Coordinates of all heavy atoms in Angstrom, one line a residue:
Y1 N 20.6 -3.5 78.7 CA 21.1 -4.8 78.9 C 22.7 -4.6 78.8 O 23.2 -4.6 77.7 CB 20.6 -5.8 77.9 CG 19.2 -6.1 78.0 CD1 18.3 -5.4 77.1 CD2 18.7 -7.0 78.9 CE1 16.9 -5.6 77.3 CE2 17.4 -7.3 79.1 CZ 16.5 -6.6 78.2 OH 15.1 -6.9 78.4
G2 N 23.4 -4.6 80.0 CA 24.8 -4.3 80.0 C 25.0 -2.9 79.6 O 24.3 -2.0 80.1
G3 N 25.7 -2.6 78.6 CA 25.9 -1.2 78.1 C 24.9 -0.9 76.8 O 25.0 0.2 76.3
K4 N 24.1 -1.9 76.5 CA 23.2 -1.7 75.4 C 21.9 -1.1 75.8 O 21.1 -1.8 76.6 CB 23.1 -3.0 74.6 CG 22.3 -2.9 73.3 CD 22.3 -4.2 72.5 CE 21.4 -4.1 71.2 NZ 21.4 -5.3 70.5
R5 N 21.4 -0.1 75.2 CA 20.1 0.4 75.5 C 18.9 -0.3 74.6 O 19.1 -0.3 73.5 CB 20.0 2.0 75.2 CG 18.6 2.6 75.5 CD 18.7 4.0 75.3 NE 19.1 4.4 73.9 CZ 18.1 4.6 73.0 NH1 16.8 4.5 73.3 NH2 18.5 4.9 71.7
A6 N 18.1 -0.8 75.3 CA 17.0 -1.5 74.6 C 15.7 -0.7 74.6 O 14.9 -0.8 73.7 CB 16.6 -2.8 75.4
L7 N 15.6 0.3 75.6 CA 14.4 1.2 75.6 C 14.7 2.4 76.3 O 15.4 2.4 77.3 CB 13.2 0.4 76.3 CG 11.9 1.1 76.5 CD1 11.2 1.3 75.2 CD2 11.0 0.5 77.5
G8 N 14.2 3.5 75.8 CA 14.1 4.7 76.6 C 15.2 5.7 76.3 O 16.1 5.5 75.5
P9 N 15.0 6.8 77.0 CA 13.8 7.1 78.0 C 12.6 7.5 77.2 O 12.6 8.2 76.2 CB 14.3 8.3 78.8 CG 15.3 9.0 77.9 CD 16.0 8.0 77.1
V10 N 11.5 6.8 77.6 CA 10.2 7.1 76.9 C 9.2 7.4 78.1 O 9.3 6.9 79.2 CB 9.7 5.8 76.2 CG1 10.5 5.5 75.0 CG2 9.5 4.6 77.0
S11 N 8.3 8.3 77.7 CA 7.1 8.8 78.7 C 5.8 8.7 77.9 O 5.8 9.1 76.8 CB 7.5 10.1 79.2 OG 8.7 10.2 79.9
F12 N 4.9 8.1 78.5 CA 3.5 8.1 77.9 C 2.5 7.9 78.9 O 2.8 7.4 80.0 CB 3.5 7.0 76.8 CG 3.8 5.7 77.2 CD1 2.9 4.8 77.8 CD2 5.2 5.2 77.1 CE1 3.3 3.5 78.3 CE2 5.5 3.8 77.5 CZ 4.6 3.1 78.1
E13 N 1.3 8.1 78.6 CA 0.1 7.8 79.5 C -1.0 7.1 78.7 O -1.2 7.3 77.5 CB -0.5 9.1 80.0 CG 0.5 9.9 81.0 CD -0.3 11.0 81.6 OE1 -1.5 11.2 81.5 OE2 0.4 11.8 82.3
I14 N -1.7 6.2 79.4 CA -2.8 5.4 78.8 C -3.9 5.4 79.7 O -3.8 5.1 80.9 CB -2.3 4.0 78.5 CG1 -1.1 3.9 77.5 CG2 -3.5 3.1 78.0 CD1 -0.5 2.5 77.3
S15 N -5.1 5.8 79.2 CA -6.2 6.0 80.0 C -7.0 4.6 80.2 O -6.9 3.7 79.3 CB -7.2 7.0 79.4 OG -6.5 8.3 79.3
D16 N -7.8 4.5 81.2 CA -8.7 3.4 81.4 C -9.6 3.2 80.2 O -10.1 4.1 79.6 CB -9.7 3.6 82.6 CG -8.9 3.5 83.9 OD1 -7.8 2.7 83.9 OD2 -9.4 4.0 84.9
G17 N -9.7 1.9 79.7 CA -10.6 1.6 78.6 C -10.0 1.8 77.2 O -10.7 1.4 76.3
E18 N -8.8 2.3 77.1 CA -8.1 2.4 75.8 C -7.6 1.2 75.3 O -7.2 0.2 76.1 CB -7.0 3.4 75.9 CG -7.4 4.9 75.7 CD -6.2 5.8 75.5 OE1 -5.3 5.8 76.3 OE2 -6.2 6.4 74.5
T19 N -7.6 1.0 74.0 CA -6.9 -0.1 73.3 C -5.8 0.6 72.6 O -6.0 1.3 71.7 CB -7.9 -0.9 72.4 OG1 -8.9 -1.4 73.2 CG2 -7.0 -2.0 71.8
V20 N -4.5 0.3 73.0 CA -3.3 0.9 72.5 C -2.4 0.0 71.7 O -2.1 -1.1 72.4 CB -2.5 1.7 73.5 CG1 -1.3 2.4 73.0 CG2 -3.4 2.8 74.2
G21 N -1.9 0.2 70.6 CA -1.0 -0.6 69.8 C 0.4 -0.1 69.9 O 0.6 1.2 69.7
F22 N 1.3 -1.0 70.2 CA 2.8 -0.7 70.2 C 3.3 -1.1 68.8 O 3.3 -2.4 68.6 CB 3.4 -1.4 71.4 CG 3.3 -0.7 72.6 CD1 2.0 -0.7 73.3 CD2 4.3 -0.1 73.3 CE1 1.8 -0.1 74.5 CE2 4.1 0.5 74.6 CZ 2.9 0.5 75.1
L23 N 3.8 -0.3 68.1 CA 4.4 -0.5 66.8 C 5.9 -0.4 66.7 O 6.4 0.5 67.4 CB 3.7 0.3 65.6 CG 2.2 0.0 65.2 CD1 1.8 1.1 64.3 CD2 2.1 -1.4 64.8
G24 N 6.6 -1.1 65.9 CA 8.1 -0.9 65.8 C 8.6 -2.1 65.1 O 8.1 -3.2 65.0
L25 N 9.8 -1.9 64.4 CA 10.5 -3.0 63.8 C 11.0 -3.9 64.8 O 11.1 -3.6 66.0 CB 11.7 -2.4 63.0 CG 11.3 -1.3 61.8 CD1 12.5 -0.7 61.2 CD2 10.4 -2.1 60.9
N26 N 11.7 -5.0 64.4 CA 12.3 -5.9 65.4 C 13.4 -5.2 66.1 O 14.2 -4.5 65.4 CB 12.9 -7.1 64.7 CG 11.8 -8.1 64.1 OD1 10.7 -8.2 64.7 ND2 12.0 -8.8 63.0
G27 N 13.5 -5.4 67.4 CA 14.5 -4.7 68.2 C 14.1 -3.3 68.5 O 15.0 -2.6 69.2
A28 N 12.9 -2.8 68.3 CA 12.6 -1.5 68.5 C 12.3 -1.2 70.0 O 12.3 0.0 70.5 CB 11.4 -1.0 67.7
G29 N 12.1 -2.2 70.7 CA 11.8 -2.1 72.2 C 10.4 -2.4 72.7 O 10.0 -2.2 73.8
K30 N 9.5 -2.9 71.7 CA 8.1 -3.1 72.0 C 8.0 -4.2 73.1 O 7.2 -4.0 74.1 CB 7.4 -3.7 70.7 CG 7.4 -2.8 69.4 CD 6.5 -3.3 68.4 CE 6.9 -4.8 68.0 NZ 8.2 -4.9 67.4
T31 N 8.6 -5.4 72.9 CA 8.4 -6.4 73.9 C 9.1 -6.0 75.3 O 8.5 -6.3 76.3 CB 9.1 -7.7 73.4 OG1 8.4 -8.2 72.3 CG2 9.2 -8.8 74.5
T32 N 10.2 -5.3 75.2 CA 10.8 -4.8 76.4 C 9.8 -3.9 77.2 O 9.6 -4.0 78.4 CB 12.0 -4.0 76.2 OG1 13.0 -4.9 75.6 CG2 12.6 -3.5 77.4
A33 N 9.1 -3.0 76.5 CA 8.2 -2.1 77.1 C 7.0 -2.9 77.7 O 6.6 -2.6 78.8 CB 7.6 -1.1 76.1
L34 N 6.5 -3.9 77.0 CA 5.4 -4.6 77.5 C 5.7 -5.5 78.6 O 4.9 -5.6 79.6 CB 4.8 -5.5 76.4 CG 4.1 -4.8 75.1 CD1 3.5 -5.8 74.2 CD2 3.1 -3.8 75.6
R35 N 6.9 -6.0 78.6 CA 7.4 -6.8 79.8 C 7.5 -6.0 81.0 O 7.2 -6.4 82.2 CB 8.7 -7.6 79.4 CG 8.6 -8.7 78.5 CD 9.8 -9.4 78.3 NE 10.3 -10.0 79.5 CZ 11.5 -10.5 79.7 NH1 12.5 -10.4 78.7 NH2 11.9 -11.0 80.8
I36 N 8.0 -4.8 80.9 CA 8.1 -3.9 82.1 C 6.7 -3.5 82.5 O 6.4 -3.5 83.8 CB 8.8 -2.5 81.7 CG1 10.3 -2.9 81.4 CG2 8.7 -1.5 82.8 CD1 11.2 -1.7 80.8
L37 N 5.7 -3.3 81.7 CA 4.4 -2.9 82.1 C 3.7 -4.1 82.7 O 2.8 -3.9 83.6 CB 3.5 -2.5 80.9 CG 3.9 -1.2 80.2 CD1 3.2 -1.0 78.9 CD2 3.6 -0.1 81.2
A38 N 4.1 -5.3 82.4 CA 3.5 -6.6 83.0 C 4.3 -6.8 84.2 O 3.9 -7.9 84.9 CB 3.6 -7.7 82.0
C39 N 5.2 -6.2 84.6 CA 6.1 -6.4 85.9 C 6.8 -7.8 85.6 O 7.1 -8.5 86.6 CB 5.2 -6.5 87.1 SG 4.6 -4.8 87.5
D40 N 7.1 -8.1 84.4 CA 8.0 -9.3 84.1 C 9.4 -8.9 84.0 O 10.2 -9.8 84.0 CB 7.4 -9.9 82.8 CG 8.1 -11.3 82.5 OD1 8.2 -12.1 83.4 OD2 8.5 -11.4 81.4
L41 N 9.7 -7.6 84.0 CA 11.0 -7.0 83.8 C 11.1 -5.8 84.5 O 10.2 -5.0 84.4 CB 11.3 -6.9 82.3 CG 12.7 -6.5 81.8 CD1 13.6 -7.8 82.1 CD2 12.7 -6.2 80.3
R42 N 12.1 -5.6 85.2 CA 12.4 -4.4 86.0 C 13.1 -3.3 85.2 O 14.1 -3.6 84.5 CB 13.2 -4.7 87.2 CG 13.3 -3.5 88.3 CD 14.1 -4.0 89.4 NE 14.3 -2.8 90.4 CZ 13.3 -2.6 91.4 NH1 12.4 -3.4 91.5 NH2 13.5 -1.6 92.2

């Protein structure tokens, strides 16, 4: 966001049928990661 890094670089894989939890303190990048996965954020 501007010059501030909110996420990354991160790499991971999630298989079909898995239930995966994203953990982190406030501002850790959890919501940003989920919004990107939901195509709500580029």
Side-chain angles (χ1 to χ4, degrees):
Y1 295 100
K4 184 178 180 181
R5 179 175 64 89
L7 179 70
V10 296
S11 299
F12 56 84
E13 293 186 9
I14 297 171
S15 302
D16 285 337
E18 275 195 297
T19 300
V20 177
F22 283 68
L23 290 176
L25 301 175
N26 289 330
K30 305 186 305 299
T31 293
T32 298
L34 294 185
R35 289 183 63 192
I36 290 174
L37 291 171
C39 292
D40 185 49
L41 191 65
R42 188 180 180 89

